[in-house]
Amino acid sequence: MKLQALSAAVAALALVLTACSSAPPGESGDEGSGSVRTDAVVATTGEIRTLDPTALSTAFTSGGDRASAIFGSLMKYDEEGGVVPAMAQSLESDDLKVWTLTLRDGVEFTDGTPYDAEAVLFNIDRHRAEDSTSPAKSLLSSVESIEILDPLTLEFTLVRPSGSFPSLLTNNTTLGYIGSPTAMQADPEGFSTAPVAAGPFVMEEWVRDSHMSLTANPDYWDADNVALTSLRFNTIADAQTRTQALMSKALDLAPPLQGSEWVQFRDNDDFVIYLEGSLGAQSFYPNVSRGPMTDPEVRRAVQMGIDPKSANTVLNADAIEWDGDHDCVPFVPDTDACSSGSYPDADIEEAKRIIADYAADGGDVKVRMLSTVTQKYYHDYFELVLTELGFDVEVNAADLTQFAGQTVEGNYDVIVALRLPFVSPFPAFFNQISNTGSNYLKHEDAEFQAALETARDASPEDQAAAWGEVNRQIGEKGYAFWATPSSNRAISVAEFHPGNALTIGGGGVWYPADAYFS
């Protein structure tokens, strides 16, 4: 299999190099000329089926990267992790319950339709429609009503005050992506592959499973401050090929690579590794509603049964320095989100004893592990860990569509779900573990859900401490199995600046309008 993968990687790399060498004249950034490049080439790990915001994920490589370039977003994150205006002009609240969104005057979609309050409401209504299957639909459960005050102003009234609401309108969700209602109504299917928007870039070409080419939108509201004239996304599924393409500088930016892949760039000044953000986690979660994971002692044993040093070596190739302390995983270190002592120390022999006693008492040690084909590197290791503890493990490595369906059905005992580093735990991490969202845990724990909602709704100054309570309960109740912090990191050539390093760190969606070369 390694020989086959290598062969495919070499072939794919040849295509990447050919694609990059065919850049239009004047956009090649000839280093000898002293000119600053304005054309960027970025890798993405897989093809997407649509650019309709109601069917997109916001992950770096699941469409959010391309959508951010085409749609922009109502709000975005700044370098400090705060939410600031982007396509919108402002978002304000006096009480954290009623939020006023003001749009910029004179902005139009590329078909001439006004980018106004009616357009924004039309887009949000598509997400929250009764028959909507939008991944963002559950996030709107906290919104009681939306009212248009005037052509450029909307008022959002929440069920309860929430300091996290502004995050919903960033490119950390798909709610901030606003498309032309005229185009959507005229040709919904056509819109999904050739969206009409008002963002910083427009699509020129989309060759499936190969590349998507974008050019700068001359009518973008802030066009004078967009440095890039073109942006190309090359689909490169193989990690080795992406690594080789980046090393040869056929790419300017690569999506998150595993520690074992990016460690070779660590001491190379020609590249930048984006380490900002939270710790994230290489992890899997229990389904607490069925099988052996209904037993808190069994869950505790699994937490104890993962050796931190071994996991960091196997999963991260020791690319990150970590002392094995789980207090802050997956949050930002040295903040109130850390929870001292709630996650048990590793004790492999004690973990084995607990599982053996559970089995001796008649407990079923069969475990069905749900993962994806792209996470084989991780689920192979987690399968080995559980087997050594005494479980009988069956791995179901599904494709992304099957994974999503089985997640909803809860057809698993443990689920491999990596937690990439994040700017804010809400909405992505919240959605994974809340029983109003994806609910990987399949829990109906009122105390835990209340802690999650308190953290979501806390004022900015109180959020870290509120997430600390969530962290404490995760550790004490065995609601997550943190193997190590995440080593997945985005990497760029040194002269390319993708904008917000905090956002892009572990795979968050960057904001292409802010990117530039030096």
Side-chain angles (χ1 to χ4, degrees):
M1 290 184 66
K2 288 185 178 179
L3 289 175
Q4 291 175 340
L6 180 58
S7 176
V10 172
L13 178 57
L15 290 174
V16 174
L17 293 169
T18 300
C20 293
S21 66
S22 61
E27 294 185 5
S28 61
D30 183 357
E31 294 180 4
S33 68
S35 61
V36 176
R37 284 180 54 197
T38 62
D39 61 317
V41 182
V42 178
T44 183
T45 61
E47 190 54 274
I48 54 175
R49 62 183 179 85
T50 178
L51 277 164
D52 185 329
T54 62
L56 276 176
S57 165
T58 55
F60 194 151
T61 57
S62 300
D65 48 1
R66 285 146 283 188
S68 289
I70 294 170
F71 293 97
S73 61
L74 289 167
M75 308 294 287
K76 66 179 181 179
Y77 289 103
D78 64 17
E79 291 286 352
E80 303 301 320
V83 177
V84 297
M87 295 297 294
Q89 181 172 294
S90 65
L91 179 62
E92 300 173 323
S93 179
D94 292 328
D95 60 3
L96 302 184
K97 186 172 193 246
V98 178
W99 291 85
T100 302
L101 178 72
T102 303
L103 304 174
R104 300 180 188 277
D105 191 15
V107 177
E108 293 183 344
F109 298 100
T110 54
D111 64 357
T113 302
Y115 192 111
D116 59 12
E118 293 281 358
V120 171
L121 183 59
F122 176 88
N123 277 260
I124 292 178
D125 279 347
R126 294 181 72 235
H127 289 281
R128 63 177 182 167
E130 186 174 346
D131 60 349
S132 169
T133 58
S134 168
K137 183 176 182 178
S138 64
L139 299 175
L140 290 167
S141 62
S142 62
V143 178
E144 185 175 275
S145 65
I146 307 173
E147 182 181 354
I148 293 176
L149 301 184
D150 62 49
L152 295 177
T153 311
L154 298 96
E155 183 177 85
F156 294 78
T157 300
L158 309 185
V159 175
R160 63 184 69 83
S162 176
S164 295
F165 175 73
S167 294
L168 288 187
L169 304 183
T170 67
N171 55 347
N172 203 24
T173 83
T174 56
L175 297 173
Y177 300 145
I178 306 300
S180 165
T182 303
M184 289 181 183
Q185 291 171 314
D187 185 6
E189 186 174 343
F191 182 90
S192 71
T193 57
V196 177
F201 295 88
V202 294
M203 186 191 299
E204 288 292 315
E205 181 181 50
W206 186 0
V207 179
R208 297 279 181 165
D209 298 310
S210 174
H211 65 274
M212 181 185 292
S213 297
L214 311 178
T215 56
N217 177 7
D219 298 319
Y220 176 58
W221 74 269
D222 197 26
D224 290 344
N225 290 313
V226 177
L228 300 181
T229 58
S230 68
L231 179 57
R232 178 180 173 117
F233 293 93
N234 284 344
T235 302
I236 311 175
D238 181 72
Q240 182 182 3
T241 307
R242 291 195 302 273
T243 303
Q244 291 172 334
L246 183 63
M247 184 63 78
S248 67
K249 298 194 175 181
L251 294 172
D252 300 305
L253 174 67
L257 299 171
Q258 297 169 3
S260 58
E261 296 159 352
W262 63 252
V263 68
Q264 62 187 294
F265 295 91
R266 184 161 53 187
D267 298 320
N268 190 330
D269 292 339
D270 287 342
F271 300 92
V272 176
I273 302 170
Y274 296 92
L275 299 173
E276 291 82 355
S278 71
L279 292 174
Q282 319 287 33
S283 54
F284 59 111
Y285 298 92
N287 179 345
V288 301
S289 71
R290 57 172 265 178
M293 298 304 157
T294 59
D295 189 319
E297 279 300 300
V298 170
R299 300 197 299 268
R300 192 81 168 165
V302 176
Q303 289 178 315
M304 296 164 59
I306 304 173
D307 176 57
K309 181 175 176 57
S310 170
N312 198 34
T313 299
V314 174
L315 298 179
N316 302 328
D318 292 319
I320 58 173
E321 294 183 6
W322 182 52
D323 61 3
D325 188 335
H326 292 87
D327 288 354
C328 298
V329 178
F331 299 94
V332 177
D334 302 319
T335 67
D336 288 341
C338 302
S339 177
S340 178
S342 61
Y343 198 97
D345 293 332
D347 189 335
I348 311 298
E349 294 308 312
E350 176 63 10
K352 290 180 177 179
R353 184 196 65 76
I354 293 172
I355 302 305
D357 287 351
Y358 173 80
D361 289 340
D364 186 358
V365 292
K366 290 183 179 179
V367 169
R368 178 180 172 86
M369 176 180 289
L370 177 62
S371 184
T372 66
V373 292
T374 59
Q375 296 182 136
K376 186 178 190 311
Y377 187 80
Y378 301 98
H379 67 236
D380 280 354
Y381 177 74
F382 296 146
E383 178 188 11
L384 178 63
V385 167
L386 292 179
T387 300
E388 290 186 346
L389 290 179
F391 292 99
D392 179 7
V393 184
E394 173 196 354
V395 177
N396 176 18
D399 63 31
L400 292 177
T401 301
Q402 294 169 335
F403 180 82
Q406 293 189 42
T407 298
V408 173
E409 296 169 4
N411 187 24
Y412 56 86
D413 298 300
V414 295
I415 180 170
V416 178
L418 309 183
R419 179 63 269 151
L420 294 175
F422 45 74
V423 179
S424 168
F426 181 83
F429 182 47
F430 174 93
N431 196 50
Q432 279 187 339
I433 58 179
S434 167
N435 63 22
T436 62
S438 298
N439 194 12
Y440 287 171
L441 303 173
K442 301 305 172 192
H443 74 89
E444 292 299 334
D445 183 337
E447 180 188 36
F448 183 60
Q449 187 63 29
L452 281 168
E453 293 178 3
T454 297
R456 176 195 64 190
D457 298 336
S459 61
E461 58 270 22
D462 295 331
Q463 281 180 5
W467 280 106
E469 171 58 21
V470 172
N471 192 10
R472 181 190 67 79
Q473 291 194 37
I474 288 175
E476 292 182 354
K477 296 181 177 184
Y479 279 175
F481 307 133
W482 308 131
T484 73
S486 174
S487 66
N488 294 50
R489 292 295 186 270
I491 307 173
S492 75
V493 295
E495 59 270 23
F496 182 61
H497 309 274
N500 191 336
L502 183 63
T503 301
I504 202 172
V509 177
W510 54 301
Y511 205 72
D514 297 336
Y516 65 95
F517 285 92
S518 59

